[in-house]
Protein backbone atom coordinates (compact mmCIF):
# COMPACT_ATOMS: atom_id res chain seq x y z
CA UNK A 1 0.00 0.00 0.00
CA UNK A 2 1.00 3.61 -0.55
CA UNK A 3 -0.37 7.05 0.28
CA UNK A 4 1.07 8.55 -2.90
CA UNK A 5 -1.47 8.45 -5.78
CA UNK A 6 1.35 8.64 -8.34
CA UNK A 7 2.62 5.25 -7.19
CA UNK A 8 -0.68 3.44 -7.77
CA UNK A 9 -0.77 0.65 -10.33
CA UNK A 10 -3.31 -1.84 -8.96
CA UNK A 11 -6.14 -1.99 -6.41
CA UNK A 12 -8.68 -4.45 -5.06
CA UNK A 13 -12.39 -3.84 -4.47
CA UNK A 14 -14.61 -5.10 -1.65
CA UNK A 15 -15.66 -8.12 -3.74
CA UNK A 16 -12.05 -9.22 -4.14
CA UNK A 17 -11.66 -8.23 -7.79
CA UNK A 18 -8.27 -6.83 -8.79
CA UNK A 19 -8.21 -3.74 -11.03
CA UNK A 20 -5.06 -2.80 -12.92
CA UNK A 21 -4.89 0.93 -13.47
CA UNK A 22 -4.31 2.22 -16.98
CA UNK A 23 -3.74 5.96 -16.82
CA UNK A 24 -5.12 8.95 -14.96
CA UNK A 25 -8.36 10.48 -16.26
CA UNK A 26 -8.78 13.48 -13.98
CA UNK A 27 -7.56 14.87 -10.68
CA UNK A 28 -8.96 17.44 -8.28
CA UNK A 29 -8.53 18.54 -4.71
CA UNK A 30 -10.73 15.74 -3.39
CA UNK A 31 -9.87 12.82 -5.62
CA UNK A 32 -8.24 11.20 -8.60
CA UNK A 33 -9.84 8.96 -11.24
CA UNK A 34 -8.03 6.22 -13.19
CA UNK A 35 -8.92 4.10 -16.18
CA UNK A 36 -8.46 0.36 -15.85
CA UNK A 37 -7.59 -2.31 -18.39
CA UNK A 38 -11.34 -2.95 -18.73
CA UNK A 39 -12.50 -0.17 -21.13
CA UNK A 40 -15.67 0.97 -19.32
CA UNK A 41 -14.47 0.47 -15.72
CA UNK A 42 -12.83 3.35 -13.83
CA UNK A 43 -11.67 3.78 -10.24
CA UNK A 44 -11.99 6.84 -8.02
CA UNK A 45 -9.61 7.38 -5.06
CA UNK A 46 -10.31 10.03 -2.45
CA UNK A 47 -7.51 12.44 -1.63
CA UNK A 48 -6.74 14.81 1.21
CA UNK A 49 -3.74 17.10 0.88
CA UNK A 50 -2.81 15.05 -2.21
CA UNK A 51 -2.57 11.86 -0.11
CA UNK A 52 -4.61 8.67 -0.41
CA UNK A 53 -6.99 7.90 2.47
CA UNK A 54 -7.77 4.63 4.29
CA UNK A 55 -11.15 2.90 3.67
CA UNK A 56 -12.64 3.95 7.03
CA UNK A 57 -15.89 5.42 5.66
CA UNK A 58 -16.33 3.64 2.33
CA UNK A 59 -19.90 2.64 3.17
CA UNK A 60 -20.95 6.23 2.39
CA UNK A 61 -20.27 5.62 -1.31
CA UNK A 62 -22.58 2.65 -1.51
CA UNK A 63 -25.47 4.53 0.13
CA UNK A 64 -25.51 6.87 -2.88
CA UNK A 65 -27.27 4.11 -4.80
CA UNK A 66 -30.35 4.59 -2.59
CA UNK A 67 -30.88 8.20 -3.68
CA UNK A 68 -33.81 8.82 -6.08
CA UNK A 69 -31.65 9.28 -9.18
CA UNK A 70 -33.81 9.11 -12.34
CA UNK A 71 -33.43 5.88 -14.27
CA UNK A 72 -31.06 6.05 -17.22
CA UNK A 73 -29.43 9.30 -16.14
CA UNK A 74 -25.85 9.59 -17.42
CA UNK A 75 -24.11 9.77 -14.07
CA UNK A 76 -21.55 7.25 -12.86
CA UNK A 77 -22.45 5.58 -9.56
CA UNK A 78 -20.32 3.41 -7.24
CA UNK A 79 -20.45 -0.29 -8.09
CA UNK A 80 -18.05 -1.50 -5.41
CA UNK A 81 -16.02 0.12 -2.64
CA UNK A 82 -12.25 -0.29 -2.53
CA UNK A 83 -10.70 -2.67 -0.02
CA UNK A 84 -7.54 -0.79 0.98
CA UNK A 85 -8.28 2.83 0.08
CA UNK A 86 -11.08 5.35 0.36
CA UNK A 87 -12.74 5.17 -3.04
CA UNK A 88 -14.83 3.05 -5.34
CA UNK A 89 -15.19 1.36 -8.71
CA UNK A 90 -17.65 2.74 -11.27
CA UNK A 91 -18.58 2.20 -14.90
CA UNK A 92 -19.13 4.64 -17.76
CA UNK A 93 -19.01 4.66 -21.53
CA UNK A 94 -15.59 4.06 -23.06
CA UNK A 95 -13.84 6.54 -25.36
CA UNK A 96 -14.76 9.57 -23.30
CA UNK A 97 -12.66 12.50 -22.12
CA UNK A 98 -13.23 15.28 -19.60
CA UNK A 99 -14.51 18.69 -20.67
CA UNK A 100 -11.07 19.99 -19.70
CA UNK A 101 -9.35 17.63 -22.13
CA UNK A 102 -11.98 18.28 -24.79
CA UNK A 103 -12.11 22.06 -24.62
CA UNK A 104 -9.23 23.43 -22.53
CA UNK A 105 -6.14 21.46 -23.40
CA UNK A 106 -3.88 22.65 -26.21
CA UNK A 107 -4.55 20.81 -29.46
CA UNK A 108 -1.56 18.80 -30.81
CA UNK A 109 -0.11 20.38 -33.99
CA UNK A 110 -1.10 17.39 -36.17
CA UNK A 111 -4.76 17.76 -35.09
CA UNK A 112 -4.97 21.53 -35.30
CA UNK A 113 -7.26 23.15 -37.86
CA UNK A 114 -5.88 26.34 -39.33
CA UNK A 115 -7.49 28.85 -41.66
CA UNK A 116 -6.39 32.25 -42.98
CA UNK A 117 -8.43 33.73 -40.10
CA UNK A 118 -6.60 31.74 -37.40
CA UNK A 119 -3.21 32.44 -38.98
CA UNK A 120 -3.98 36.15 -38.85
CA UNK A 121 -5.23 36.31 -35.27
CA UNK A 122 -3.61 33.46 -33.35
CA UNK A 123 -0.28 35.18 -32.83
CA UNK A 124 -2.02 37.85 -30.75
CA UNK A 125 -4.28 35.38 -28.94
CA UNK A 126 -1.85 32.55 -28.04
CA UNK A 127 -3.40 30.13 -30.48
CA UNK A 128 -6.88 30.56 -29.02
CA UNK A 129 -8.86 30.53 -32.27
CA UNK A 130 -7.24 27.47 -33.82
CA UNK A 131 -7.63 25.57 -30.52
CA UNK A 132 -11.25 26.72 -30.25
CA UNK A 133 -12.11 25.58 -33.78
CA UNK A 134 -10.12 22.34 -33.57
CA UNK A 135 -11.89 21.30 -30.37
CA UNK A 136 -15.30 21.58 -32.03
CA UNK A 137 -16.04 25.28 -31.92
CA UNK A 138 -19.02 26.92 -30.30
CA UNK A 139 -21.61 24.40 -31.48
CA UNK A 140 -19.91 21.43 -29.81
CA UNK A 141 -19.61 23.43 -26.60
CA UNK A 142 -23.26 24.47 -26.73
CA UNK A 143 -24.38 20.87 -27.26
CA UNK A 144 -22.10 19.44 -24.56
CA UNK A 145 -23.11 22.04 -21.99
CA UNK A 146 -26.77 21.71 -22.99
CA UNK A 147 -26.60 18.01 -22.13
CA UNK A 148 -24.71 18.50 -18.87
CA UNK A 149 -27.18 21.24 -17.81
CA UNK A 150 -30.03 18.82 -18.54
CA UNK A 151 -28.36 16.25 -16.24
CA UNK A 152 -28.08 18.80 -13.43
CA UNK A 153 -31.68 19.92 -13.97
CA UNK A 154 -32.91 16.34 -13.73
CA UNK A 155 -31.00 15.85 -10.46
CA UNK A 156 -32.44 19.10 -9.09
CA UNK A 157 -35.94 17.99 -10.06
CA UNK A 158 -35.74 15.17 -7.49
CA UNK A 159 -34.17 17.39 -4.81
CA UNK A 160 -30.51 16.40 -5.31
CA UNK A 161 -27.54 18.77 -5.47
CA UNK A 162 -24.47 17.63 -7.44
CA UNK A 163 -22.09 19.93 -5.46
CA UNK A 164 -18.82 19.76 -7.43
CA UNK A 165 -19.46 20.56 -11.09
CA UNK A 166 -16.19 21.24 -12.89
CA UNK A 167 -14.54 20.59 -16.22
CA UNK A 168 -12.80 17.58 -14.66
CA UNK A 169 -16.05 15.97 -13.55
CA UNK A 170 -18.02 16.12 -16.81
CA UNK A 171 -17.10 13.83 -19.70
CA UNK A 172 -17.89 13.95 -23.41
CA UNK A 173 -17.27 11.57 -26.31
CA UNK A 174 -13.67 11.77 -27.50
CA UNK A 175 -14.85 11.53 -31.12
CA UNK A 176 -16.43 14.69 -32.48
CA UNK A 177 -18.88 12.49 -34.40
CA UNK A 178 -20.70 11.94 -31.10
CA UNK A 179 -21.66 14.06 -28.12
CA UNK A 180 -22.58 11.73 -25.27
CA UNK A 181 -22.16 13.46 -21.90
CA UNK A 182 -21.70 11.89 -18.45
CA UNK A 183 -21.23 13.26 -14.95
CA UNK A 184 -18.69 11.39 -12.83
CA UNK A 185 -17.62 11.83 -9.19
CA UNK A 186 -21.04 11.65 -7.53
CA UNK A 187 -19.48 11.40 -4.04
CA UNK A 188 -21.12 14.55 -2.73
CA UNK A 189 -24.54 14.06 -4.28
CA UNK A 190 -27.28 14.58 -1.67
CA UNK A 191 -30.48 16.42 -0.77
CA UNK A 192 -30.17 20.21 -0.59
CA UNK A 193 -31.25 20.22 3.06
CA UNK A 194 -28.03 18.31 3.82
CA UNK A 195 -25.63 19.90 1.33
CA UNK A 196 -26.44 23.41 2.63
CA UNK A 197 -24.72 22.42 5.88
CA UNK A 198 -21.44 21.37 4.27
CA UNK A 199 -19.29 22.49 1.37
CA UNK A 200 -17.48 21.07 -1.61
CA UNK A 201 -15.97 23.12 -4.41
CA UNK A 202 -13.21 23.60 -6.95
CA UNK A 203 -11.23 26.83 -6.37
CA UNK A 204 -12.05 29.52 -8.92
CA UNK A 205 -15.44 27.94 -9.71
CA UNK A 206 -17.21 28.10 -6.35
CA UNK A 207 -20.25 30.26 -5.70
CA UNK A 208 -19.30 33.13 -3.33
CA UNK A 209 -21.39 31.89 -0.40
CA UNK A 210 -19.47 28.60 -0.38
CA UNK A 211 -16.03 30.25 -0.37
CA UNK A 212 -17.19 32.50 2.49
CA UNK A 213 -18.67 29.54 4.40
CA UNK A 214 -15.46 27.53 4.05
CA UNK A 215 -13.39 30.41 5.45
CA UNK A 216 -15.77 31.05 8.32
CA UNK A 217 -15.75 27.41 9.41
CA UNK A 218 -11.94 27.26 9.08
CA UNK A 219 -11.71 30.28 11.40
CA UNK A 220 -13.90 28.59 14.01
CA UNK A 221 -17.11 30.52 13.45
CA UNK A 222 -20.11 28.52 14.75
CA UNK A 223 -22.24 27.28 11.85
CA UNK A 224 -25.32 29.18 13.06
CA UNK A 225 -23.36 32.45 12.97
CA UNK A 226 -21.90 31.98 9.47
CA UNK A 227 -22.98 34.40 6.75
CA UNK A 228 -22.05 31.94 4.01
CA UNK A 229 -23.73 28.65 3.24
CA UNK A 230 -23.05 25.26 1.69
CA UNK A 231 -23.94 23.72 -1.66
CA UNK A 232 -27.36 24.32 -3.19
CA UNK A 233 -29.23 24.21 -6.47
CA UNK A 234 -28.09 27.82 -6.89
CA UNK A 235 -24.42 27.03 -6.30
CA UNK A 236 -24.59 24.23 -8.90
CA UNK A 237 -26.03 26.76 -11.35
CA UNK A 238 -23.36 29.35 -10.52
CA UNK A 239 -20.46 26.93 -11.02
CA UNK A 240 -22.01 25.66 -14.24
CA UNK A 241 -22.30 29.25 -15.52
CA UNK A 242 -18.64 29.98 -14.72
CA UNK A 243 -17.53 26.94 -16.73
CA UNK A 244 -19.88 27.73 -19.61
CA UNK A 245 -18.87 31.39 -19.89
CA UNK A 246 -15.18 30.49 -19.75
CA UNK A 247 -15.63 28.06 -22.63
CA UNK A 248 -17.77 30.29 -24.86
CA UNK A 249 -15.92 33.57 -24.30
CA UNK A 250 -12.41 32.22 -23.68
CA UNK A 251 -12.24 34.24 -20.45
CA UNK A 252 -13.15 33.71 -16.79
CA UNK A 253 -16.24 35.85 -15.99
CA UNK A 254 -14.44 37.74 -13.22
CA UNK A 255 -10.87 38.08 -14.54
CA UNK A 256 -11.17 41.58 -15.91
CA UNK A 257 -9.51 44.96 -15.42
CA UNK A 258 -9.96 45.14 -11.64
CA UNK A 259 -8.73 41.59 -11.13
CA UNK A 260 -5.56 42.31 -13.13
CA UNK A 261 -4.97 45.52 -11.16
CA UNK A 262 -5.03 43.54 -7.92
CA UNK A 263 -2.72 40.91 -9.42
CA UNK A 264 -0.22 43.65 -10.31
CA UNK A 265 0.13 44.51 -6.62
CA UNK A 266 0.17 40.89 -5.42
CA UNK A 267 2.41 38.55 -7.39
CA UNK A 268 0.99 35.49 -5.61
CA UNK A 269 -2.55 36.24 -6.85
CA UNK A 270 -3.85 35.51 -3.30
CA UNK A 271 -5.83 38.73 -2.84
CA UNK A 272 -7.15 38.75 -6.41
CA UNK A 273 -8.32 35.16 -6.21
CA UNK A 274 -9.87 35.74 -2.79
CA UNK A 275 -11.87 38.68 -4.17
CA UNK A 276 -12.87 36.61 -7.20
CA UNK A 277 -14.00 33.60 -5.16
CA UNK A 278 -15.98 35.63 -2.64
CA UNK A 279 -17.91 37.69 -5.19
CA UNK A 280 -16.26 41.04 -4.58
CA UNK A 281 -15.46 41.63 -8.27
CA UNK A 282 -17.97 42.69 -10.91
CA UNK A 283 -18.82 40.48 -13.87
CA UNK A 284 -16.61 41.33 -16.87
CA UNK A 285 -19.72 42.11 -18.97
CA UNK A 286 -21.86 43.61 -16.20
CA UNK A 287 -24.36 46.08 -17.66
CA UNK A 288 -24.45 48.18 -14.47
CA UNK A 289 -20.83 48.05 -13.25
CA UNK A 290 -17.86 48.36 -15.62
CA UNK A 291 -15.18 48.38 -12.91
CA UNK A 292 -13.96 44.95 -13.95
CA UNK A 293 -14.71 44.97 -17.67
CA UNK A 294 -12.58 42.98 -20.08
CA UNK A 295 -11.82 42.98 -23.79
CA UNK A 296 -12.99 39.94 -25.76
CA UNK A 297 -15.11 39.33 -28.81
CA UNK A 298 -18.68 40.60 -28.58
CA UNK A 299 -20.93 38.33 -26.57
CA UNK A 300 -23.91 38.96 -28.86
CA UNK A 301 -21.97 37.20 -31.62
CA UNK A 302 -21.83 33.89 -29.74
CA UNK A 303 -24.79 34.22 -27.36
CA UNK A 304 -28.51 34.69 -27.77
CA UNK A 305 -29.98 37.61 -25.85
CA UNK A 306 -31.61 35.08 -23.53
CA UNK A 307 -28.26 33.48 -22.65
CA UNK A 308 -26.75 36.92 -22.09
CA UNK A 309 -29.55 37.65 -19.64
CA UNK A 310 -28.99 34.39 -17.77
CA UNK A 311 -25.31 35.30 -17.32
CA UNK A 312 -26.30 38.76 -16.09
CA UNK A 313 -28.74 37.30 -13.56
CA UNK A 314 -26.13 34.82 -12.31
CA UNK A 315 -23.11 37.11 -12.10
CA UNK A 316 -24.75 40.43 -11.14
CA UNK A 317 -24.40 41.74 -7.58
CA UNK A 318 -27.76 40.17 -6.71
CA UNK A 319 -26.76 36.86 -8.27
CA UNK A 320 -23.47 36.79 -6.38
CA UNK A 321 -25.16 37.68 -3.09
CA UNK A 322 -28.19 35.39 -3.24
CA UNK A 323 -28.22 31.83 -4.54
CA UNK A 324 -32.02 31.79 -4.76
CA UNK A 325 -32.02 34.67 -7.27
CA UNK A 326 -29.99 32.77 -9.88
CA UNK A 327 -31.56 31.10 -12.94
CA UNK A 328 -32.41 27.42 -12.59
CA UNK A 329 -30.62 24.67 -14.45
CA UNK A 330 -33.81 24.04 -16.44
CA UNK A 331 -33.59 27.59 -17.79
CA UNK A 332 -29.97 27.06 -18.80
CA UNK A 333 -30.78 23.76 -20.53
CA UNK A 334 -33.71 25.26 -22.46
CA UNK A 335 -31.79 28.32 -23.68
CA UNK A 336 -28.69 26.33 -24.59
CA UNK A 337 -30.84 24.05 -26.73
CA UNK A 338 -32.34 27.07 -28.49
CA UNK A 339 -28.90 28.59 -29.08
CA UNK A 340 -27.45 25.33 -30.32
CA UNK A 341 -30.22 25.03 -32.90
CA UNK A 342 -29.59 28.42 -34.50
CA UNK A 343 -25.77 28.66 -34.45
CA UNK A 344 -24.21 28.88 -37.92
CA UNK A 345 -20.80 27.51 -38.93
CA UNK A 346 -18.63 29.64 -41.20
CA UNK A 347 -16.93 27.40 -43.75
CA UNK A 348 -14.41 30.14 -44.49
CA UNK A 349 -12.86 30.82 -41.06
CA UNK A 350 -14.20 27.83 -39.12
CA UNK A 351 -15.91 29.83 -36.35
CA UNK A 352 -19.54 29.45 -35.26
CA UNK A 353 -21.85 32.35 -34.50
CA UNK A 354 -25.40 33.18 -33.47
CA UNK A 355 -25.87 36.55 -35.11
CA UNK A 356 -24.60 37.49 -38.56
CA UNK A 357 -23.36 41.00 -39.35
CA UNK A 358 -25.30 42.15 -42.44
CA UNK A 359 -25.45 38.55 -43.67
CA UNK A 360 -21.70 38.18 -43.20
CA UNK A 361 -19.62 36.22 -40.72
CA UNK A 362 -18.84 38.56 -37.77
CA UNK A 363 -15.36 37.04 -37.47
CA UNK A 364 -13.97 36.99 -41.01
CA UNK A 365 -16.57 38.88 -43.06
CA UNK A 366 -17.35 35.96 -45.40
CA UNK A 367 -20.85 35.88 -46.87
CA UNK A 368 -23.48 33.86 -45.03
CA UNK A 369 -23.50 30.28 -46.35
CA UNK A 370 -26.62 28.73 -47.86
CA UNK A 371 -28.75 28.11 -44.78
CA UNK A 372 -31.82 25.95 -44.24
CA UNK A 373 -34.25 27.69 -41.87
CA UNK A 374 -37.26 26.16 -40.13
CA UNK A 375 -39.55 27.39 -37.41
CA UNK A 376 -42.38 25.85 -35.41
CA UNK A 377 -45.64 27.70 -34.67
CA UNK A 378 -49.04 26.83 -33.34
CA UNK A 379 -51.42 25.81 -36.11
CA UNK A 380 -53.48 28.79 -37.15
CA UNK A 381 -51.01 31.34 -35.80
CA UNK A 382 -50.10 34.34 -37.93
CA UNK A 383 -46.68 35.67 -38.92
CA UNK A 384 -46.72 38.14 -36.02
CA UNK A 385 -46.89 35.35 -33.43
CA UNK A 386 -43.41 34.50 -32.06
CA UNK A 387 -42.12 31.15 -33.23
CA UNK A 388 -42.14 28.36 -30.65
CA UNK A 389 -38.80 27.04 -31.87
CA UNK A 390 -36.29 27.90 -34.62
CA UNK A 391 -33.70 25.80 -36.37
CA UNK A 392 -31.08 26.81 -38.91
CA UNK A 393 -28.15 24.99 -40.40
CA UNK A 394 -25.88 25.55 -43.35
CA UNK A 395 -26.67 23.09 -46.14
CA UNK A 396 -24.16 20.25 -46.42
CA UNK A 397 -23.44 17.64 -49.04
CA UNK A 398 -24.23 14.91 -46.51
CA UNK A 399 -27.53 16.58 -45.61
CA UNK A 400 -28.83 17.91 -42.30
CA UNK A 401 -30.90 16.44 -39.47
CA UNK A 402 -33.63 18.39 -37.69
CA UNK A 403 -34.10 17.66 -33.96
CA UNK A 404 -37.37 16.34 -32.58
CA UNK A 405 -37.66 19.41 -30.33
CA UNK A 406 -38.62 21.40 -33.42
CA UNK A 407 -41.98 19.59 -33.17
CA UNK A 408 -42.14 18.60 -29.49
CA UNK A 409 -40.37 21.53 -27.87
CA UNK A 410 -37.54 21.04 -25.40
CA UNK A 411 -37.53 17.67 -23.61
CA UNK A 412 -34.47 16.47 -21.66
CA UNK A 413 -35.25 12.87 -22.64
CA UNK A 414 -35.25 13.66 -26.38
CA UNK A 415 -32.07 15.68 -26.84
CA UNK A 416 -30.59 13.23 -29.37
CA UNK A 417 -33.81 12.28 -31.15
CA UNK A 418 -34.33 13.39 -34.75
CA UNK A 419 -37.51 14.66 -36.36
CA UNK A 420 -36.50 14.37 -40.00
CA UNK A 421 -33.48 14.60 -42.27
CA UNK A 422 -32.98 16.55 -45.48
CA UNK A 423 -30.78 15.54 -48.38
CA UNK A 424 -30.33 17.33 -51.68
CA UNK A 425 -30.19 15.56 -55.02
CA UNK A 426 -29.64 18.18 -57.69
CA UNK A 427 -32.46 20.71 -57.34
CA UNK A 428 -34.57 18.31 -55.27
CA UNK A 429 -34.75 18.11 -51.47
CA UNK A 430 -35.41 14.61 -50.14
CA UNK A 431 -37.22 14.56 -46.78
CA UNK A 432 -36.95 11.47 -44.59
CA UNK A 433 -39.16 11.22 -41.50
CA UNK A 434 -37.09 9.89 -38.60
CA UNK A 435 -39.70 9.95 -35.82
CA UNK A 436 -43.25 8.79 -36.46
CA UNK A 437 -44.17 9.98 -32.95
CA UNK A 438 -43.89 13.53 -34.29
Amino acid sequence: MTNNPDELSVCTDSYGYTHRLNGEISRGGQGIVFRTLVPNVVVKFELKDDKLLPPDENEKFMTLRFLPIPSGLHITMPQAALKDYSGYVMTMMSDMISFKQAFDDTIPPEQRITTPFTEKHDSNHRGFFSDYISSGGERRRLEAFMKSSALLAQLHSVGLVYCDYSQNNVFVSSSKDFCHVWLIDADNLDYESKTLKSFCYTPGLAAPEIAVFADELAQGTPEEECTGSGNSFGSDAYTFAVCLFTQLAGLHPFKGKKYLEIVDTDDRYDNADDDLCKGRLAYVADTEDDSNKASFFQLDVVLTSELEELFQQTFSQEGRDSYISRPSMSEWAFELARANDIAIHCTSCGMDYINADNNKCPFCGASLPEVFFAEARYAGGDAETPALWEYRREMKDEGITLPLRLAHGYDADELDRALLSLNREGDTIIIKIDSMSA
Side-chain angles (χ1 to χ4, degrees), residues 2-8 27-32 45-54 85-86:
T2 177
N3 65 0
N4 183 354
D6 295 322
E7 296 176 358
L8 284 169
R27 183 186 300 222
Q30 292 189 314
I32 182 170
F45 295 84
E46 273 203 314
L47 297 178
K48 184 175 183 180
D49 299 326
D50 291 323
K51 302 294 184 183
L52 295 167
L53 300 175
Y85 300 100
S86 178

Side-chain angles (χ1 to χ4, degrees), residues 56-88:
D56 300 341
E57 300 179 3
N58 272 1
E59 66 275 4
K60 67 182 178 182
F61 300 128
M62 307 316 293
T63 62
L64 292 172
R65 296 184 296 177
F66 297 108
L67 294 173
I69 298 171
S71 176
L73 204 63
H74 288 184
I75 178 167
T76 58
M77 298 299 293
Q79 303 298 313
L82 296 181
K83 178 183 177 182
D84 300 316
Y85 300 100
S86 178
Y88 55 89

